[in-house]
Amino acid sequence: MSIEDLGIEYRAELPTAAEFERLFRSSGWTEAVEVAADRLAATLPHAWYSICARHDGQVVGTGFVLSDGVLHALIVNVIVAPEMRGNGIGTEIMKRLIARCRESRVLQVQLFSARGKRGFYERLGFEARPDDGPGMELGGLS
Ligand SMILES: CC(C)(COP(=O)(O)OP(=O)(O)OC[C@H]1O[C@@H](n2cnc3c(N)ncnc32)[C@H](O)[C@@H]1OP(=O)(O)O)[C@@H](O)C(=O)NCCC(=O)NCCS
């Protein structure tokens, strides 16, 4: 089925806190990370750019860019509702986030690939960082 057939509407907007929480809790990440509703809501105003995909008015996909607008951008929370996956919605959200970064000529656009999603991001042009210049993170802060 094509995206046109699905009638998905993409908007450069933030979801409401309730919409985001519903989608976030459908992602499967909450088994590993427990984040209270008020803390999830507190993330939203920090997005530099965001896309919502809607089907019949309901949010079925999100994606956000955290950025300084010049040097760095981090793509986060690319989530599609489980029942809507595999229809190109995640790809379309990513394309729009990338286009916005390109428009501002942001130097480095980065993301963390969830397990099993490497191919999804490689098809969009992302490459794993080299072994001698890896992405690194500080664990154990939650
Ligand atoms: C990752 C995620 C956002 C992808 O969203 P999606 O809407 O399913 O993505 P797409 O439909 O664009 O692509 C998914 C697959 O469907 C395929 N596909 C895309 N359009 C398609 C179409 N019209 N018909 C059939 N298959 C299609 C793609 O080739 C892709 O294959 P892959 O799984 O081997 O990469 C979604 O799986 C998700 O929300 N997962 C949980 C949260 C998560 O892990 N997010 C990523 C954090 S790094």
Side-chain angles (χ1 to χ4, degrees):
M1 190 184 288
S2 72
I3 295 176
E4 290 74 28
D5 292 338
L6 280 173
I8 303 294
E9 195 185 346
Y10 297 89
R11 291 189 206 144
E13 64 178 14
L14 287 171
T16 66
E19 287 169 336
F20 180 51
E21 185 185 1
R22 188 169 351 101
L23 207 58
F24 183 85
R25 300 215 188 279
S26 79
S27 69
W29 294 333
T30 39
E31 291 153 23
V33 191
E34 194 48 60
V35 186
D38 60 330
R39 286 174 60 79
L40 269 185
T43 67
L44 294 174
H46 298 286
W48 177 75
Y49 187 65
S50 62
I51 291 288
C52 278
R54 289 181 185 274
H55 180 59
D56 290 338
Q58 300 289 313
V59 172
V60 294
T62 58
F64 303 80
V65 183
L66 308 177
S67 182
D68 58 23
V70 177
L71 297 178
H72 299 285
L74 181 67
I75 292 177
V76 297
N77 296 326
V78 176
I79 305 171
V80 172
E83 68 279 11
M84 301 296 282
R85 290 179 194 166
N87 290 298
I89 298 171
T91 298
E92 183 62 25
I93 290 171
M94 282 296 300
K95 285 182 176 172
R96 287 169 187 247
L97 300 179
I98 293 165
R100 179 66 187 87
C101 292
R102 284 200 202 289
E103 191 184 300
S104 286
R105 295 184 295 125
V106 177
L107 279 182
Q108 280 198 309
V109 181
Q110 300 183 326
L111 54 78
F112 299 101
S113 173
R115 189 160 281 125
K117 300 298 175 195
R118 182 176 177 149
F120 172 75
Y121 292 116
E122 283 178 340
R123 273 192 288 282
L124 286 156
F126 285 80
E127 295 172 3
R129 287 188 54 85
D131 288 346
D132 62 353
M136 300 183 76
E137 64 180 2
L138 190 62
L141 295 182
S142 59

